[in-house]
Amino acid sequence: MRGSIVLCGVGGMGILRASEIIAEVLLQKGLMVCQSEVHGMAQRGGSVVTYLRFGEEAYAPLLQRGEADFMIAFEQMEALRYIAYLKIGGTIILNPLSLYPPGTSAAEYPQDIPSLLEETGFTLITVPATEMSLKLGDVRFTNTFLLGAFSAVFPIQEEKLWEQAIIKVFRGKKEEENLKAFREGRKTVQ
């Protein structure tokens, strides 16, 4: 097995932690993983992106355009920004959240981004992770909610393995709540 994943969003959405959990799952399956992250100005709502490359051998984390098998987009505009990294036939897990970049009005923000993404021919799975996480009590569960949805379409689908990775990465911090968000996210796709 080999492949690559791009995770994108803005600062504070748990993208780095989600990337760490995916890497842990891949390592537990005995695969090599290379990870890279770009998060300049992330604390001011700036763009955050991580790249994961995995397989029996993986030596370079950065992806070229058209190389990623999967995209997990935590915010709609960021999905458009990084769509070029997804390969033909790739799958997008999209959180339909709109966050206007500083200095941008709603009029300047693209409308109906899910339709724009569907027109590209990729497999689009829309998961209202932020909305559902708020119903679970905390917007910070958005990342584990999205991971739940992702785990249902990713080649490694063993629920227990994903849960062990979440427990290891969170180290006791809101562990049960994150596991609940993960399970709820998984149900949205199954």
Side-chain angles (χ1 to χ4, degrees), residues 148-184:
F150 176 67
S151 73
V153 298
F154 190 61
I156 301 171
Q157 297 185 2
E158 300 159 50
E159 189 171 349
K160 201 68 178 168
L161 193 63
W162 284 91
E163 291 182 358
Q164 289 169 349
I166 289 169
I167 290 167
K168 183 173 181 179
V169 169
F170 280 100
R171 298 179 200 109
K173 296 177 187 170
K174 300 226 176 209
E175 188 178 290
E176 284 306 315
E177 295 88 343
N178 278 294
L179 289 173
K180 182 177 181 182
F182 170 80
R183 292 175 190 133
E184 291 298 318

Side-chain angles (χ1 to χ4, degrees), residues 66 68 86-90 121-122:
L86 199 59
K87 70 170 53 169
I88 295 170
F122 301 111

Side-chain angles (χ1 to χ4, degrees), residues 62-155:
L62 294 180
L63 306 179
Q64 295 185 11
R65 292 176 183 261
E67 194 173 8
D69 301 287
F70 295 95
M71 169 188 279
I72 304 174
F74 287 62
E75 197 273 341
Q76 297 186 101
M77 178 78 93
E78 297 302 314
L80 287 178
R81 186 186 313 264
Y82 293 101
I83 193 70
Y85 285 92
L86 199 59
K87 70 170 53 169
I88 295 170
T91 300
I92 306 167
I93 304 291
L94 175 70
N95 181 22
L97 175 69
S98 298
L99 295 174
Y100 306 127
T104 304
S105 68
E108 298 170 297
Y109 195 92
Q111 300 300 307
D112 202 12
I113 291 175
S115 293
L116 293 173
L117 293 171
E118 281 181 329
E119 290 171 7
T120 61
F122 301 111
T123 300
L124 177 66
I125 300 170
T126 303
V127 179
T130 299
E131 178 186 329
M132 297 305 293
S133 295
L134 284 169
K135 288 180 181 174
L136 292 174
D138 196 329
V139 71
R140 291 179 292 178
F141 303 139
T142 297
N143 61 353
T144 47
F145 198 95
L146 281 172
L147 284 179
F150 176 67
S151 73
V153 298
F154 190 61

Side-chain angles (χ1 to χ4, degrees), residues 11-96:
M13 299 184 86
I15 296 162
L16 302 181
R17 184 73 46 109
S19 185
E20 190 178 343
I21 291 167
I22 294 170
E24 181 61 31
V25 168
L26 293 165
L27 289 170
Q28 291 306 314
K29 289 300 281 185
L31 298 169
M32 288 180 67
V33 181
C34 289
Q35 177 185 357
S36 176
E37 54 194 54
V38 179
H39 47 90
M41 302 298 283
Q43 291 184 351
R44 296 185 183 203
S47 182
V48 174
V49 61
T50 66
Y51 306 96
L52 288 162
R53 186 187 307 259
F54 60 91
E56 284 74 27
E57 294 182 353
Y59 299 107
L62 294 180
L63 306 179
Q64 295 185 11
R65 292 176 183 261
E67 194 173 8
D69 301 287
F70 295 95
M71 169 188 279
I72 304 174
F74 287 62
E75 197 273 341
Q76 297 186 101
M77 178 78 93
E78 297 302 314
L80 287 178
R81 186 186 313 264
Y82 293 101
I83 193 70
Y85 285 92
L86 199 59
K87 70 170 53 169
I88 295 170
T91 300
I92 306 167
I93 304 291
L94 175 70
N95 181 22

